[in-house]
Amino acid sequence: MPPIKRTKFKLAPEQLLDMFYWLKLIRAFDERLSILVKQGKVRSGVYTGIGQEAIIVGTCFGLRKEDYICPLHRDLGSFLMKGVEPRVMMAQMFAKTTGLSKGRDSALHSGVSELGIFGNTSMLGANLPVAAGLALTFKMEKIDNVVIAYFGEGASNVGDFHEGLNFAGVHQLPVIFVCENNQYAYSVPIEKSMAIDDVADRAHGYGFDGVAINGNDVLAVYQATQGALARARGGEGPTLIECKTYRWHGHSEHDKAFYRSDEELAMWKSRDPIPTFTTYLRTRNVLDDDKVKDVETRVTSTIDEAVEFAMNSPDPTPEDATTDLYA
Ligand SMILES: Cc1ncc(C[n+]2csc(CCOP(=O)(O)OP(=O)(O)O)c2C)c(N)n1
């Protein structure tokens, strides 16, 4: 199989600044959630993706509204990038009536079809055959939209992963499988669950390309995604992009992650995707102190407003349980 060609791309300074804004917003959203959990204010399990933001920004940036994403528990940022307002997302985490599911679920299983977001099921890997099914619809209807499905390296050991990728490969479907390889599936390190180094290699068994990249480099993720999108839209089938990264917090906010060392965490923190990108933008004169301040002010006020909105929104009533039902 010929190796995937590097895709050329050009982003205007405003687009690069926009990427910077999204990285900061998604980081701030998760950081605030982490605090709110400790204050007992959030009624959901919280699985932050702090440290992994470059994957969401690099894959979602510039997607069409009609393209579908299939996010997982750690991908709240993808909801924001696909168009869910931060205040609505925050209300969702507070299980308020103003949230996506109006307080009906544990926050992580909602979808928004008009924004191209397919809600996930709890079973790991189960979103991948679904993503292939969505992509099959696009193919059958001859629409050049694409599906992006996220999963962890842990999920790549589950049967559904293999069935989903096999089906997508056989039918050459317009789907991009994005592995967020953050080195641990809950407490299980990758070397205890996989006998190979790269999840990307698994794609070859299903007849399409897989590429392993630095998932903390937003431009590398963007570049790989643009190539995969072009192939998918052009009828050339699926791609697997494995993004090597690390989650800074535990599996969820109740997990203190004693199974890993401080040294390991410090090493990955030194590869924080945000300062790396900041340095790049400063070197290119896209960013200066004033612009950083401006972005940070906007981010803080957006998050403050979202929390305020969520806290002041009404709780669902018992009667609400019998509305919006399908028979
Ligand atoms: C089939 C299945 N097995 C176990 C679980 C429980 N579980 C939920 S998340 C998780 C770890 C997932 O690890 P990974 O797929 O690497 O994604 P990450 O959480 O690291 O982003 C586990 C074991 C589940 N939801 N589904």
Side-chain angles (χ1 to χ4, degrees):
M1 202 173 294
I4 297 179
K5 285 199 217 87
R6 282 192 182 279
T7 309
K8 291 210 173 80
F9 68 92
K10 200 166 162 47
L11 288 165
E14 306 76 58
Q15 290 175 299
L16 292 165
L17 263 184
D18 218 17
M19 276 186 162
F20 180 68
Y21 170 80
W22 284 114
L23 286 169
K24 296 284 264 185
L25 183 77
I26 294 170
R27 169 76 53 96
F29 194 93
D30 269 354
E31 282 180 337
R32 188 68 66 88
L33 269 182
S34 174
I35 294 168
L36 291 163
V37 171
K38 291 177 186 91
Q39 293 174 341
K41 296 203 170 116
V42 175
R43 291 181 188 142
S44 163
V46 170
Y47 305 79
T48 61
I50 297 172
Q52 305 188 184
E53 299 87 351
I55 302 171
I56 294 301
V57 178
T59 52
C60 287
F61 195 81
L63 276 189
R64 297 176 185 166
K65 199 168 123 201
E66 297 75 22
D67 292 324
Y68 252 90
I69 58 167
C70 299
L72 279 187
H73 47 283
R74 221 172 285 293
D75 304 320
L76 295 188
S78 66
F79 284 74
L80 304 179
M81 288 199 74
K82 230 20 195 92
V84 176
E85 283 182 67
R87 49 156 53 193
V88 174
M89 204 62 216
M90 198 58 87
Q92 170 72 3
M93 304 310 289
F94 278 70
K96 296 296 183 89
T97 51
T98 48
L100 294 173
S101 59
K102 304 179 187 168
R104 287 160 188 282
D105 77 339
S106 69
L108 302 168
H109 303 97
S110 286
V112 191
S113 44
E114 52 283 12
L115 294 175
I117 305 172
F118 200 92
N120 85 69
T121 46
S122 278
M123 300 313 292
L124 290 177
N127 66 330
L128 302 176
V130 171
L134 284 166
L136 179 63
T137 309
F138 289 147
K139 183 170 178 171
M140 289 170 75
E141 294 186 352
K142 298 191 175 29
I143 305 170
D144 69 344
N145 293 336
V146 174
V147 182
I148 297 193
Y150 301 90
F151 61 99
E153 80 292 343
S156 78
N157 300 313
V158 172
D160 276 351
F161 164 89
H162 298 277
E163 293 178 32
L165 268 70
N166 185 51
F167 190 81
V170 168
H171 297 281
Q172 288 288 289
L173 300 178
V175 51
I176 306 174
F177 297 103
V178 176
C179 177
E180 300 171 285
N181 180 353
N182 59 18
Q183 318 299 321
Y184 288 88
Y186 210 131
S187 56
V188 181
I190 186 160
E191 63 275 12
K192 291 226 167 102
S193 65
M194 281 176 50
I196 56 174
D197 288 334
D198 295 328
V199 174
D201 288 346
R202 294 185 164 170
H204 302 147
Y206 301 113
F208 56 93
D209 279 319
V211 60
I213 60 167
N214 175 1
N216 284 8
D217 178 345
V218 67
L219 293 179
V221 178
Y222 179 75
Q223 182 181 40
T225 306
Q226 291 307 301
L229 280 171
R231 282 190 296 284
R233 295 203 203 284
E236 291 174 56
T239 305
L240 192 165
I241 302 173
E242 177 189 3
C243 302
K244 309 271 192 196
T245 188
Y246 197 78
R247 60 163 159 75
W248 290 11
H249 286 200
H251 170 68
S252 67
E253 291 305 293
H254 61 255
D255 167 28
K256 301 216 176 342
F258 291 134
Y259 42 83
R260 65 188 189 186
S261 69
D262 292 343
E263 290 75 19
E264 182 180 280
L265 178 59
M267 193 268 283
W268 278 97
K269 281 192 171 178
S270 74
R271 300 175 186 176
D272 184 341
I274 300 184
T276 316
F277 191 53
T278 308
T279 306
Y280 168 77
L281 296 180
R282 281 182 184 273
T283 315
R284 283 201 47 190
N285 294 323
V286 172
L287 205 58
D288 56 22
D289 287 349
D290 285 347
K291 286 187 178 137
V292 172
K293 217 170 151 210
D294 171 57
V295 168
E296 285 175 349
T297 308
R298 274 197 291 143
V299 164
T300 307
S301 70
T302 302
I303 302 290
D304 286 348
E305 196 275 332
V307 175
E308 185 81 10
F309 173 79
M311 298 233 277
N312 294 325
S313 290
D315 287 320
T317 61
E319 292 72 44
D320 290 336
T322 53
T323 59
D324 289 340
L325 296 176
Y326 295 91

